[in-house]
């Protein structure tokens, strides 16, 4: 048998080079880095419906009270969802401007569609200017973190309180009030709502999603982790929402006969000078501070908490809100923004990339084009208890973002800001109180020193807590 000769030096070099190649950094195409799904398809689909607990009640109310064109709103918000999902690469929500919606249905007489549109366009113009000039980014850098957490906590608890009311009481959205305690039985009874709540708790837990690549040390832990991964792969929120749609038709079978196919005609609104005056004074003035704080500052900070490698730019988010409404409001679409509560809700149910809101946008687009305004008949029969359950999880997830306030001083500022926001029903009032309290606590830590008669100065103590003085 012929004896093989030892490998040459060139062969050895080649072998060594080949063995080290897998350890070199892998450079993926830009489209793969930005547009691949971060989670399973079922989780992204489940997360897509995470903010509908807020979206549906407000859209339904404005449609019934202020004669909002549902088809136009669905089509435009669908385009917003698809665009923002591809632009920001996270489950960026598109939610109604809540303050404008509240004013529209509470004023006597109710605001017209044109007045709602001017309120949204006025708010959008302010946010667009703040973002384009860089002032929003400056505000984002300077705003103390405890104040931001206070706004997030107040919004999260506000959602949770509203959710409990939806679950416990029948709701009259037109009159904006609860009518009577919800019955235990029935297709919109407490049993249905509580069953949906338990189902979501079992299949989504506390909101932690396990990495499919993680390894566990021992066999029992591996079995438990595998079981939780299986449960987490089920699109629980999507199943609950689809159950609600099925119950719509069971509650009122006449819906089948009322459905008319095709979208409504889209055209420019007729807007007068009086519409601009009423819309700005009654709608935009209370909405602007809420949009700045919750739709830009809070959502950017929450994006950094949930996606540390994809924290949003305050300027881009502010410009995004401006562009959406400066386009859609002229056609009668509902004024919208990017809410921190919607981001928290979508993340809570499994959304980890922009594809979740792209899927949501596709769903809205199909509904708006196929069913048009007749879809309001379906929404009018949607079980409010199920909407309350979805909203409850979104609110709790947003409120839990404030759990990183470790010092008593930070917690004090955060809780006062949240308390004032809740009791005063104004995020702007809570923000002002939080800023004043934060500055007073800083002033308390200043020490006085005099080096010569007639000359004095204040200086901060050197032991100021670095975390307390941090900014988002």
């Amino acid at each position: 048998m012929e004896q093989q000769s030892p490998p040459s030096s060139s062969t050895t070099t080649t072998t060594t080079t080949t063995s080290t190649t897998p350890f070199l950094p892998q450079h993926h195409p830009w489209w793969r880095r930005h547009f691949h799904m971060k989670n399973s398809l079922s989780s992204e689909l489940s997360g897509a419906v995470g903010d509908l607990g807020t979206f549906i009640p407000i859209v339904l109310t404005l449609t019934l009270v202020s004669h909002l064109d549902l088809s136009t709103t669905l089509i435009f918000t669908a385009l917003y969802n698809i665009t923002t999902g591809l632009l920001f690469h996270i489950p960026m929500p598109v939610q109604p401007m809540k303050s404008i919606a509240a004013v529209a249905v509470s004023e006597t007489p109710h605001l017209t569609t044109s007045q709602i549109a001017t309120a949204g366009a006025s708010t959008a113009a302010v946010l667009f200017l703040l973002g384009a000039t860089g002032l929003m980014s400056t505000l984002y850098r300077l705003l103390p973190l405890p104040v931001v957490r206070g706004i997030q906590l107040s919004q999260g608890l506000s959602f949770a309180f509203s959710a409990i009311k939806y679950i416990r009481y029948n709701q009259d959205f037109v009159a904006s009030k609860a009518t009577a305690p919800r019955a235990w039985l029935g297709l919109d009874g407490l049993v249905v709502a509580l069953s949906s709540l338990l189902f979501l708790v079992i299949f989504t837990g506390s909101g932690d999603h396990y990495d499919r690549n993680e390894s566990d040390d021992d066999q029992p832990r591996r079995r438990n982790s595998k079981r939780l991964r299986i449960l987490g792969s089920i699109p629980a929120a999507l199943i609950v929402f689809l159950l609600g749609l099925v119950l719509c038709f069971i509650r009122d079978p006449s819906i089948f006969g009322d459905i008319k196919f095709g979208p409504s005609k889209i055209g420019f609104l007729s807007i007068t000078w009086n519409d601009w005056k009423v819309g700005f004074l009654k709608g935009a003035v209370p909405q602007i501070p809420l949009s700045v704080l919750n739709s830009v500052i809070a959502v950017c900070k929450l994006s950094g908490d949930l996606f540390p490698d994809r924290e949003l730019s305050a300027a881009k988010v502010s410009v995004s809100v401006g562009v959406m409404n400066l386009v859609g409001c002229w056609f009668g679409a509902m004024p919208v923004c990017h809410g921190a509560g919607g981001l928290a809700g979508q993340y809570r149910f499994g959304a980890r990339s922009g594809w979740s809101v792209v899927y949501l946008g596709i769903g809205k687009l199909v509904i708006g084009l196929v069913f048009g305004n007749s879809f309001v008949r379906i929404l009018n029969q949607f079980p409010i208890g199920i909407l309350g359950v979805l909203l409850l999880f979104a609110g709790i997830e947003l409120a839990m973002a404030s759990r990183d306030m470790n010092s008593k001083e930070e917690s004090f500022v955060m809780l006062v800001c949240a308390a004032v926001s809740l009791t005063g029903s104004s995020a702007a009032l809570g923000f002002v109180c939080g800023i004043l309290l934060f500055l007073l606590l800083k002033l308390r830590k200043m020490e006085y020193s005099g080096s010569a008669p007639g000359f004095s100065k204040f200086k901060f103590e050197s032991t100021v807590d670095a975390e307390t003085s941090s900014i988002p």
Side-chain angles (χ1 to χ4, degrees):
M1 181 180 296
E2 183 180 357
Q3 187 176 2
Q4 294 182 348
S5 59
S8 63
S9 58
S10 60
T11 305
T12 306
T13 304
T14 303
T15 304
T16 305
T17 304
T18 304
S19 63
T20 58
T21 300
F23 297 97
L24 296 176
Q26 299 295 314
H27 298 286
H28 299 295
W30 66 269
W31 57 266
R32 184 176 179 183
R33 293 196 304 269
H34 292 296
F35 297 117
H36 75 284
M37 286 192 296
K38 308 292 182 179
N39 211 348
S40 64
L41 176 61
S42 61
S43 295
E44 297 290 349
L45 290 174
S46 182
V49 302
D51 73 330
L52 295 184
T54 304
F55 185 86
I56 291 178
I58 296 179
V59 171
L60 180 60
T61 302
L62 291 177
T63 302
L64 297 176
V65 175
S66 299
H67 307 292
L68 182 80
D69 192 283
L70 179 63
S71 174
T72 301
T73 291
L74 287 175
I75 291 173
F76 273 94
T77 55
L79 297 177
Y80 301 157
N81 278 130
I82 295 171
T83 303
T84 55
L86 297 177
L87 179 64
F88 293 110
H89 315 303
I90 70 169
M92 175 66 87
V94 175
Q95 293 187 310
M97 289 189 177
K98 302 173 187 63
S99 182
I100 292 177
V103 170
V105 300
S106 62
E107 284 289 319
T108 305
H110 301 306
L111 297 189
T112 65
T113 303
S114 296
Q115 291 167 349
I116 294 173
T118 56
S122 300
T123 304
V126 173
L127 265 67
F128 181 85
L129 289 176
L130 290 175
T133 57
L135 292 176
M136 187 66 76
S137 297
T138 302
L139 178 62
Y140 181 69
R141 290 193 301 270
L142 296 179
L143 197 61
L145 181 59
V147 177
V148 178
R149 293 304 191 211
I151 298 298
Q152 291 176 317
L153 179 61
S154 65
Q155 290 294 311
L157 293 179
S158 178
F159 286 167
F161 295 157
S162 297
I164 296 299
K165 292 177 183 178
Y166 287 179
I167 295 172
R168 292 188 58 192
Y169 301 100
N170 295 319
Q171 301 293 318
D172 183 354
F173 289 130
V174 175
S176 300
K177 65 179 182 179
T179 56
R182 190 173 303 281
W184 280 94
L185 301 178
L187 298 179
D188 191 14
L190 281 173
V191 171
V192 173
L194 295 178
S195 298
S196 301
L197 178 65
L198 293 176
F199 178 79
L200 290 176
V201 170
I202 291 173
F203 286 95
T204 66
S206 61
D208 295 325
H209 292 261
Y210 289 80
D211 186 356
R212 283 173 286 181
N213 298 321
E214 70 179 358
S215 59
D216 298 303
D217 299 333
D218 51 80
Q219 189 69 23
R221 187 176 176 182
R222 278 198 299 271
R223 287 196 301 267
N224 183 58
S225 181
K226 182 179 180 180
R227 176 175 59 84
L228 293 178
R229 289 193 195 100
I230 294 174
L231 292 177
S233 65
I234 297 175
L238 181 62
I239 292 173
V240 169
F241 178 73
L242 293 178
L243 170 65
L245 287 180
V246 172
L247 293 178
C248 291
F249 294 92
I250 299 177
R251 294 180 68 191
D252 188 1
S254 66
I255 292 176
F256 289 101
D258 294 335
I259 293 178
K260 297 179 181 180
F261 296 101
S264 62
K265 185 178 179 180
I266 299 178
F268 283 103
L269 290 178
S270 176
I271 300 177
T272 65
W273 169 249
N274 185 66
D275 292 332
W276 281 105
K277 182 175 67 174
V278 173
F280 178 77
L281 295 177
K282 293 186 177 182
V285 170
Q287 178 65 52
I288 289 172
L290 180 62
S291 293
V292 170
L293 296 173
N294 186 55
S295 303
V296 180
I297 301 296
V299 79
C300 288
K301 182 56 189 172
L302 184 63
S303 70
D305 297 333
L306 302 179
F307 308 99
D309 59 330
R310 286 173 279 166
E311 183 172 356
L312 299 176
S313 163
K316 289 183 179 179
V317 174
S318 189
V319 169
S320 172
V321 176
V323 171
M324 287 191 302
N325 293 283
L326 289 175
V327 174
C329 286
W330 292 101
F331 298 92
M334 176 187 63
V336 294
C337 59
H338 301 305
L343 176 58
Q346 289 167 334
Y347 183 90
R348 175 62 177 72
F349 291 119
R352 294 296 183 272
S353 71
W355 284 111
S356 61
V357 290
V358 170
Y359 299 143
L360 177 62
I362 294 173
K364 288 181 182 179
L365 189 61
V366 170
I367 292 173
L369 293 175
V370 175
F371 297 102
N373 285 330
S374 63
F375 194 70
V376 71
R377 287 280 288 114
I378 300 175
L379 293 183
N380 202 23
Q381 294 299 321
F382 198 95
I384 306 302
I386 290 181
L387 290 179
V389 170
L390 295 175
L391 183 59
L392 176 63
F393 281 88
I396 295 301
E397 182 70 28
L398 177 58
M400 285 196 297
S402 61
R403 65 185 182 274
D404 63 347
M405 295 290 96
N406 298 319
S407 70
K408 293 186 67 174
E409 182 176 309
E410 289 178 328
S411 300
F412 182 53
V413 173
M414 176 190 70
L415 293 174
V416 170
C417 179
V420 174
S421 298
L422 288 172
T423 56
S425 299
S426 172
L429 183 59
F431 167 77
V432 171
C433 292
I435 289 292
L436 290 177
L437 181 59
F438 180 83
L439 294 177
L440 287 174
L441 291 175
K442 288 300 180 186
L443 184 63
R444 181 175 177 271
K445 287 191 172 186
M446 298 174 71
E447 68 175 15
Y448 173 81
S449 63
S451 57
F455 175 80
S456 63
K457 61 180 179 178
F458 286 98
K459 64 179 182 179
F460 281 105
E461 293 179 357
S462 60
T463 57
V464 175
D465 186 1
E467 292 186 359
T468 304
S469 60
S470 64
I471 58 176

